[in-house]
Structures are given as C-alpha cells and as structure tokens.
Amino acid sequence: VRLIDKAAWAAFRAGKTKTYFELVAAASDAAFEAGADVVAFAQASMTGAAGLVTQGTVLTSPSVGLALARDAAMGKRAVG
C-alpha cells in the first residue's frame, strides 16, 4: 500500500529533508494507527524518518539488508 503523498515527494525533491522525514513518519504513524502490522520503507531516502515514527517499528532497506548480510555471514540463511 502506498502511503507517501505528493507533498512528501515534493519536499524531498526541493531538498527539504526535515519536512520529508516528518511527512514520511506521519504517514507511517497513521498506517499503524489504522491497523497496519508492518510498515516498510521501500526507498533508502526514507531511512532518516524511522526514528521519528512513534506508533511502531518500521523496516528500512538498509537495516534489512544489513541483517540479511549478517545472517548470511553467520550461516543462518542464504542471500538471494
């Protein structure tokens, strides 16, 4: 489900990083409040908003990638 609106993308394109992160976090909190079990940030540019989310824990591409790499290095699961 797409959560981010045009205002967030416009802020990103204008270089207004703080506003972008705040809008992404607000959309994430609204999704959790509406009953979402998981919110995943599909773009690395969204990672900075993760710390602003107050209603749940989001998955970010960098954190998921690092976790998979760690597990693969420890022989826990295959990557790919």
Side-chain angles (χ1 to χ4, degrees):
V1 176
R2 184 178 182 171
L3 298 176
I4 307 306
D5 64 15
K6 292 179 182 180
W9 183 240
F12 175 79
R13 293 197 59 180
K16 297 178 180 179
T17 308
K18 182 179 181 221
T19 300
Y20 174 64
F21 290 157
E22 289 169 348
L23 291 170
V24 170
S28 300
D29 283 335
F32 282 120
E33 290 170 3
D37 293 322
V38 175
V39 171
F41 291 166
Q43 300 292 325
S45 66
M46 297 175 173
T47 302
L52 301 176
V53 177
T54 62
Q55 301 299 314
T57 301
V58 296
L59 303 176
T60 63
S61 53
S63 66
V64 172
L66 287 172
L68 288 171
R70 179 201 63 224
D71 290 350
M74 296 175 67
K76 292 186 178 179
R77 67 177 108 159
V79 175

